[in-house]
Amino acid sequence: MVEIWGERTPYASGDAWPDRVDQFLVDGVAESDVESWVRGACLLCSNGCGVEVAVAGGRIVGIRGRAEDRVNHGRMGPKGLYGWQGQQHDRLTAPLIRQGGRLVETDWETAMSAVVERSRNLLDTKGPLSHGFFTSGQLMIEEFYTLATIGKGGIGTPHMDGNTRLCTATAATAFGESFGCDGQPGSYTDVDDCDALFLFGHNVAETQTVLWARMLDRLDGPNPPRLVCVDPRRTKVAERATVHLPIRNGTNLALMNALVHQLIAVGYVDREYVAAHTVGYDELAAATADATPEWAAEICGVPAADIVAAADVFGTSDRVVSTCSMGFYQSHQATAAACQVNNLHLLRGMLGRPGAGILQMNGQPSAENNREAGCGPALPGFRNWGNAEHVEELARLWNVDPLVIPHWSPPTDANAMFRYAEQGSIGFLWIAGTNPAVSMPNLNRIRRILSGNQCFVVVSDAYRTETTELADVVLPVALWAEKTGTFTNVDRTVHLQEKAIEPPGQARSDLDVWIDYARRLGLADRDGGPLPAWDTPEAAFEAWKAATVGRPCDYSGLSYQQLHDVGGIQWPCNDTAPAGTERLYTDGVFVTDRARCETYGHDLATGAGVSAEQYSARRIDGRAILKTTGYQPAYEVPDEQFPLRFTTGRTVFHWHTRTKTKRARQLQDAAPSMWVELSTQDAARLGVGEGDIVRVTSRRGAIQAPARISHVREGTVFAPWHYGDSGFVETAANDLTITAWDPISKQPEFKVAAVNVQLIRHGDGPAPAPTNTASAPVDATITNPGR
Ligand SMILES: Nc1nc2c(c(=O)[nH]1)N[C@H]1C(S)=C(S)[C@@H](COP(=O)(O)OP(=O)(O)OC[C@H]3O[C@@H](n4cnc5c(=O)[nH]c(N)nc54)[C@H](O)[C@@H]3O)O[C@H]1N2
Ligand SMILES: Nc1nc2c(c(=O)[nH]1)N[C@H]1C(S)=C(S)[C@@H](COP(=O)(O)OP(=O)(O)OC[C@H]3O[C@@H](n4cnc5c(=O)[nH]c(N)nc54)[C@H](O)[C@@H]3O)O[C@H]1N2
Ligand code: SF4
Ligand SMILES: [Mo]
């Protein structure tokens, strides 16, 4: 917990990252007590570290990294090592049903009958649009594809989305706008070869600790890469940066337009690559012509010279790896800002070769799978809802009438689903693997929607959560390592997690629950056969493989056996690439062919869709698309009443709404309760000292917590969003956030709102925030009492 990234194993550019196996066994268990080591991957972030789970006496007793896995070479971080212990406490062991206003325990028969009765009734009276499914980036491919088949092939509702909308929707749309299709071009091995690293709104040190360990090992090795960090806080990444740009939150696109302006102005452009492999250069140059470093410096609140310096690093490096994450995605011009990251690489021809790669990050372990398997913004296999042939293909796979498959408009986004549930047009909402009563913006409204009578709410979870408490029926599910299934990390690496132990009590896997639902509902294909046509994880995986043949995310060459033997393998994996594919677009040919593309794209200013005819007329034919739009201030900017810029994020020791991590002693002790971070200057102005209790108020709500005087930039207030409201003290960051989103990705703006801060009373000691992370106090004598 103190040495978060472990011991350094420095290496030079072009070398392989050395192995280092991290292991944790619970107190009192020796290696000789372990009865079996079951293979899988960590499910506590998108890094997807290959692991082995130690089992003894039917329980998990420890974990270790797999040295041979391409992702982590044996390493693990604090969440991965300790977080699984949270699965052993306070589990839901029986279904719950609401009776007389209270949730009471029941059996599966009663619970499922209630679910199916409500579902059937609404389907008969109001049709498929009465149904919504809000899922997760934390389930297995087999589960996503099964639910997509039920929802889109059986019931026929477009109202399906994941919490991936809150998470990586912008990664997906930026890929779609630039390259025609979702799918990560780069690979983690690019870190091994690069000359420069650019981290855009990404606190990798805390959110993908093992990836940061890889970067640190390069930084501490011979010929280290230069590092540029764009983050309003002095994170551990910022501390190692050649250039740190602590921009005002909510001004990303101004900075990005200036960086592109500067590459063009100085002439850092690979003209040959641009001419051969892109369209839109003239429009991009025109759109950024006035975006000088001086102009952006004024908006972003950083020196123009630093913007110039950052552009110089990009322009004078031959191989750059860029990562882009929530600091960019959870903002108002998210897709445009993320596209500009793609554009930097296209302008320099830095794609598809070792060391030159883009990582538009995923956050959740299986966010990628929600996107590709059809529970979110695309039809399964990244198929284009606007392409009738793609819809026909799916209909053939499922043996259903193409007209059942909703394709008259894009799949509904989560914001719209909650709006429909608010109005009651969605009268049946199934929530699985997500806790929106903490994680959605503007919680007072979300709680009202979930608790109202206008919508019947089913929640599948493994614990009682803020969301289950508002549900009509709660279904207890099996967690990671209690079921078998596959999932895919940020750099397209697919892992198989094998079942290690039985789930507690009556808990069942999401796959079993959804198959049961489909059978009870009597969903059938055109010939009266059961839909979905499978019952087991491996059969679901085989069906998924068939659905991906010929698509960019081709899984057809993978098998459970191969994943067991090798560990992580990158898609596409098929007859031509049986060992998987390290990088996409090595030939500079993109998925922008009209017949193949996942999307025809959008206007980045308004979000208006490009039609198939307009798209065809441009004859893009395999070239990448350079595009941006002009910077606009966020919807909510500081004013006299709310003078500070609020932003939110994570700490290394917790996972989201903490259902697992608050039940793991080491993690909970390291960050036990809520805090908010103020800059030295703002704290002095407000008369607030370290640990003093402050109230933070926005137009939507207020929270109260001890203040940490940290290295956040002046004018910005940072809060972790892990802590839901407890009892009488409101501590949920999302009580303050705004119901607003990017027009293309529809990703909510968790990182820009206006607030004021008041001192409530003096505190009894330092804030309960970690001291060895971005939350480190300005007063270096303070150490975390929890550790
Ligand atoms: N420990 C831990 N790790 C996790 C998770 C977790 O909950 N805990 N969750 C996983 C998931 S689902 C996700 S999505 C990823 C998220 O991973 P990250 O994106 O790294 O996480 P965040 O902390 O949300 O945001 C990153 C940084 O954005 C900065 N930021 C805030 N506003 C702005 C802005 O306007 N502009 C810029 N440029 N930066 C800004 C914040 O200061 C913060 O340091 O992490 C994954 N890993
Ligand atoms: N203010 C603010 N808000 C944010 C963010 C932010 O940066 N700032 N980040 C956003 C992002 S990036 C994300 S990803 C979301 C995450 O938000 P949530 O998805 O709401 O957070 P989790 O706590 O991960 O919730 C997952 C739930 O699924 C349950 N679960 C775990 N495994 C399984 C399983 O196998 N099956 C089922 N059925 N349930 C399971 C867990 O117990 C937990 O209750 O929050 C978003 N909200
Ligand atoms: S970096 Fe992510 S996947 Fe790897 S051990 Fe840590 S939490 Fe797990
Ligand atoms: Mo996320």
Side-chain angles (χ1 to χ4, degrees):
M1 309 300 288
V2 180
E3 296 296 324
I4 297 170
W5 305 282
E7 253 175 64
R8 295 279 56 75
T9 49
Y11 68 126
S13 175
D15 286 356
W17 191 29
D19 297 346
R20 180 193 89 196
V21 175
D22 296 331
Q23 172 172 313
F24 167 66
L25 292 175
V26 292
D27 279 351
V29 171
E31 239 174 84
S32 54
D33 300 328
V34 176
E35 289 158 19
S36 58
W37 290 94
V38 179
R39 291 179 177 179
C42 177
L43 196 77
L44 279 168
C45 89
S46 56
N47 207 53
C49 295
V51 303
E52 286 179 313
V53 179
V55 179
R59 281 171 70 83
I60 300 179
V61 294
I63 194 163
R64 70 181 178 203
R66 273 183 86 175
E68 68 277 25
D69 198 280
R70 63 174 304 279
V71 170
N72 54 325
H73 294 233
R75 284 167 196 73
M76 297 191 69
K79 277 200 320 316
L81 285 172
Y82 303 115
W84 56 269
Q85 299 169 100
Q87 297 193 178
Q88 299 178 334
H89 305 284
D90 312 326
R91 292 284 299 274
L92 275 171
T93 53
L96 307 173
I97 193 161
R98 193 166 294 280
Q99 276 173 5
R102 287 182 45 244
L103 285 173
V104 296
E105 277 201 6
T106 185
D107 51 49
W108 275 101
E109 187 52 42
T110 312
M112 287 306 282
S113 301
V115 169
V116 171
E117 192 190 303
R118 180 61 70 112
S119 185
R120 174 49 59 211
N121 194 295
L122 277 170
L123 287 176
D124 290 347
T125 56
K126 294 195 167 165
L129 295 181
S130 61
H131 276 51
F133 295 88
F134 184 46
T135 58
S136 182
Q138 300 172 48
L139 308 180
M140 309 282 149
I141 295 180
E142 294 77 358
E143 295 170 331
F144 290 128
Y145 185 56
T146 298
L147 183 66
T149 306
I150 291 171
K152 288 182 175 149
I155 292 172
T157 177
H159 305 325
M160 299 183 73
D161 204 7
N163 62 1
T164 44
R165 187 65 68 172
L166 321 179
C167 181
T168 65
T170 304
T173 52
F175 285 143
E177 298 298 325
S178 297
F179 310 135
C181 189
D182 196 348
Q184 195 73 254
S187 169
Y188 281 169
T189 50
D190 290 332
V191 173
D192 307 345
D193 296 305
C194 68
D195 324 313
L197 282 161
F198 275 68
L199 273 66
F200 296 102
H202 184 202
N203 184 11
V204 67
E206 296 191 55
T207 55
Q208 277 94 5
T209 56
V210 170
L211 182 57
W212 179 237
R214 193 170 196 148
M215 293 176 180
L216 276 177
D217 286 343
R218 276 297 319 278
L219 291 168
D220 285 352
N223 49 49
R226 289 180 286 176
L227 171 64
V228 175
C229 169
V230 183
D231 194 309
R233 295 189 302 153
R234 198 182 84 186
T235 58
K236 292 287 158 189
V237 178
E239 284 178 16
R240 293 302 301 262
T242 317
V243 183
H244 175 209
L245 296 166
I247 62 171
R248 291 191 178 101
N249 47 313
T251 65
N252 297 314
L253 188 60
L255 174 73
M256 295 314 295
N257 283 353
L259 288 178
V260 165
H261 168 100
Q262 197 61 10
L263 284 197
I264 293 175
V266 180
Y268 290 135
V269 175
D270 180 340
R271 298 249 162 221
E272 239 169 82
Y273 188 92
V274 168
H277 300 295
T278 71
V279 298
Y281 176 80
D282 293 339
E283 291 91 327
L284 182 73
T288 54
D290 297 330
T292 61
E294 293 71 25
W295 165 83
E298 192 68 30
I299 293 168
C300 302
V302 294
D306 289 355
I307 300 177
V308 171
D312 284 341
V313 174
F314 211 107
T316 57
S317 301
D318 179 43
R319 291 164 301 178
V320 177
V321 168
S322 293
T323 74
C324 184
S325 193
M326 299 308 134
F328 267 43
Y329 298 165
Q330 296 172 336
S331 206
H332 62 300
Q333 293 181 300
T335 303
C339 281
Q340 283 287 45
V341 174
N342 296 342
N343 294 341
L344 289 174
H345 283 259
L346 290 168
L347 288 174
R348 301 270 306 128
M350 284 193 198
L351 259 185
R353 54 189 170 85
I358 300 170
L359 295 167
Q360 297 280 0
M361 296 306 288
N362 298 344
Q364 295 174 92
S366 63
E368 181 68 31
N369 307 121
N370 186 301
R371 276 149 47 189
E372 67 198 16
C375 286
L379 294 176
F382 294 145
R383 285 184 173 80
N384 187 343
W385 62 267
N387 182 333
E389 282 149 45
H390 287 193
V391 177
E392 288 279 351
E393 276 170 18
L394 264 188
R396 272 198 301 278
L397 281 160
W398 288 336
N399 189 25
V400 299
D401 184 336
L403 290 178
V404 175
I405 301 172
H407 63 279
W408 57 89
S409 70
T412 314
D413 66 274
N415 308 290
M417 269 168 51
F418 273 86
R419 178 66 182 138
Y420 298 153
E422 185 169 36
Q423 294 167 314
S425 75
I426 289 182
F428 176 97
L429 180 64
W430 195 325
I431 297 171
T434 180
N435 187 6
V438 182
S439 56
M440 284 287 286
N442 193 0
L443 288 180
N444 285 321
R445 170 171 175 260
I446 298 299
R447 286 186 284 254
R448 211 168 48 236
I449 295 171
L450 294 176
S451 57
N453 287 329
Q454 83 294 348
C455 182
F456 185 83
V457 176
V458 182
V459 177
S460 305
D461 206 297
Y463 307 91
R464 289 189 85 140
T465 68
E466 292 81 351
T467 302
T468 60
E469 296 317 289
L470 308 173
D472 294 289
V473 175
V474 178
L475 303 174
V477 293
L479 288 173
W480 168 85
E482 298 165 359
K483 58 185 177 183
T484 293
T486 48
F487 49 97
T488 309
N489 82 342
V490 173
D491 80 340
R492 291 173 282 104
T493 304
V494 186
H495 279 107
L496 171 68
Q497 175 64 54
E498 299 170 36
K499 182 172 172 176
I501 56 165
E502 289 302 322
Q506 301 175 40
R508 301 162 70 187
S509 73
D510 294 281
L511 182 73
D512 286 351
V513 175
W514 280 324
I515 298 276
D516 186 14
Y517 169 69
R519 301 287 183 260
R520 285 172 189 258
L521 215 50
L523 296 182
D525 68 14
R526 267 209 265 229
D527 302 320
L531 188 78
W534 52 86
D535 297 290
T536 64
E538 193 158 6
F541 188 68
E542 292 301 317
W544 166 240
K545 280 163 58 179
T548 62
V549 173
R551 293 300 299 156
C553 54
D554 193 337
Y555 282 69
S556 58
L558 290 169
S559 68
Y560 273 17
Q561 186 61 48
Q562 187 192 11
L563 290 166
H564 170 88
D565 294 340
V566 177
I569 299 172
Q570 289 169 292
W571 68 244
C573 179
N574 51 22
D575 288 347
T576 39
T581 307
E582 185 134 45
R583 290 178 191 84
L584 305 184
Y585 313 135
T586 48
D587 53 0
V589 178
F590 299 87
V591 195
T592 47
D593 181 80
R594 198 209 62 86
R596 239 172 104 65
C597 68
E598 180 192 8
T599 173
Y600 304 128
H602 300 81
D603 177 275
L604 293 187
T606 61
V610 175
S611 69
E613 294 71 30
Q614 289 168 320
Y615 190 84
S616 299
R618 277 190 85 186
R619 302 195 179 287
I620 299 165
D621 302 339
R623 287 173 293 171
I625 304 166
L626 294 164
K627 55 172 21 173
T628 188
T629 187
Y631 165 76
Q632 293 287 333
Y635 297 119
E636 199 175 68
V637 289
D639 57 19
E640 228 162 79
Q641 199 189 352
F642 299 103
L644 296 167
R645 291 169 186 267
F646 184 64
T647 193
T648 60
R650 292 158 168 78
T651 187
V652 66
F653 300 116
H654 280 301
W655 176 257
H656 299 166
T657 74
R658 298 183 305 133
T659 59
K660 290 182 188 174
T661 52
K662 76 176 169 194
R663 297 180 169 95
R665 183 181 48 80
Q666 299 89 339
L667 299 169
Q668 176 64 8
D669 287 352
S673 56
M674 183 65 176
W675 71 91
V676 299
E677 293 177 28
L678 297 177
S679 69
T680 316
Q681 302 89 330
D682 292 322
R685 216 170 0 252
L686 294 159
V688 173
E690 169 72 32
D692 287 352
I693 310 301
V694 295
R695 178 180 294 134
V696 186
T697 308
S698 79
R699 287 188 175 80
R700 293 153 296 278
I703 59 170
Q704 214 164 292
R708 160 59 44 89
I709 318 297
S710 78
H711 295 281
V712 64
R713 75 162 285 139
E714 185 180 359
T716 294
V717 178
F718 174 89
W721 65 277
H722 301 294
Y723 305 91
D725 288 328
S726 51
F728 297 105
V729 190
E730 308 221 294
T731 53
N734 281 324
D735 285 335
L736 307 181
T737 48
I738 186 170
T739 307
W741 49 82
D742 173 71
I744 297 104
S745 67
K746 312 281 177 7
Q747 186 155 351
E749 293 183 16
F750 292 116
K751 293 205 172 9
V752 44
V755 295
N756 63 45
V757 175
Q758 286 166 283
L759 174 68
I760 298 297
R761 63 178 171 80
H762 291 295
D764 328 305
T771 51
N772 53 348
T773 64
S775 308
V778 170
D779 175 354
T781 64
I782 297 169
T783 51
N784 180 2
R787 266 190 300 111

